[in-house]
Amino acid sequence: MRLIVATTVAGALLLGACTTDPYTGEQKISNTAGGAALGAGIGALGGMLAGGNDRRNALIGAGVGALAGGAVGVYMDRQEAELRAQLQGSGVSVSRQGDRIVLNMPSNITFATDQDSVMPGFYGTLNAVGLVLKKYNQTIVDVNGHTDSTGSDSHNYALSQRRASSVADYLGAQGVDPRRFAVNGYGETQPIASNANESGRAQNRRVEIYLTPIT
């Protein structure tokens, strides 16, 4: 049976989106939620009660508008264009799956070998992603970690989870509303290339970000 480790990164709704910067240890308030923390918190709580832990309901309850009809495609087209412009030459690929946008971040540019702390040289790329995510806030964000097949299953699951969490934490520290995030570690269970050679293993070691419109 495939084990999927999943956690939701969420702030205390009634206290606003207060997060800890994982690199400085400082407490900071999300720019997205800081303007009207109490009202947003109460609205989000209503959404949570109406739809369990559904992020869409929570965000709609907090006042983030939903997209409908032809507006969905236009909104995602514009977001995709800005991401492509910001990430050109960064090593991060941008692809489209229907109305979803997928960012593929190879681990060789994101993390040192077998480590889960984002490399300082990648901060600028994540800063650019954060700017676009804050501008286009009508999406939910799934951050998925993956590894190759080297090492034990338990090690790979844990490493993939920690790496995905590091990326989500960094983006949250840049002011992206943490209520938008879900963080998933898949270990070696979802390869996109063969693990029989180094080239394939390198492709499998990655963090993917899926951006899905709130509809």
Side-chain angles (χ1 to χ4, degrees), residues 136-197:
Y136 293 89
N137 69 334
Q138 292 172 283
T139 57
I140 58 172
V141 184
D142 291 277
V143 186
N144 300 332
H146 303 271
T147 69
D148 61 25
S149 62
T150 304
S152 68
D153 289 350
S154 60
H155 175 80
N156 289 334
Y157 276 120
L159 179 62
S160 66
Q161 174 72 28
R162 294 196 308 271
R163 285 181 166 181
S165 294
S166 290
V167 170
D169 287 347
Y170 187 94
L171 293 172
Q174 305 314 303
V176 182
D177 189 339
R179 291 170 296 187
R180 297 169 64 185
F181 288 102
V183 178
N184 309 289
Y186 292 97
E188 62 190 70
T189 63
Q190 295 188 3
I192 57 175
S194 172
N195 277 306
N197 55 70

Side-chain angles (χ1 to χ4, degrees), residues 75-93:
Y75 188 86
M76 299 306 285
D77 286 345
R78 291 174 178 171
Q79 185 174 193
E80 179 186 4
E82 290 207 25
L83 285 166
R84 289 187 181 278
Q86 291 280 359
L87 298 175
Q88 186 174 12
S90 69
V92 175
S93 68

Side-chain angles (χ1 to χ4, degrees), residues 15-90:
L15 298 177
C18 181
T19 61
T20 300
D21 188 318
Y23 305 98
T24 67
E26 296 177 352
Q27 292 287 325
K28 60 186 296 183
I29 300 297
S30 164
N31 293 336
T32 305
L38 181 59
I42 293 172
L45 179 60
M48 293 292 281
L49 292 175
N53 291 323
D54 187 270
R55 286 171 287 160
R56 290 178 177 85
N57 285 351
L59 291 162
I60 290 171
V64 177
L67 299 165
V72 175
V74 173
Y75 188 86
M76 299 306 285
D77 286 345
R78 291 174 178 171
Q79 185 174 193
E80 179 186 4
E82 290 207 25
L83 285 166
R84 289 187 181 278
Q86 291 280 359
L87 298 175
Q88 186 174 12
S90 69

Side-chain angles (χ1 to χ4, degrees), residues 190-207:
Q190 295 188 3
I192 57 175
S194 172
N195 277 306
N197 55 70
E198 177 51 36
S199 175
R201 289 191 294 271
Q203 293 180 62
N204 292 333
R205 298 189 296 266
R206 68 201 189 277
V207 169

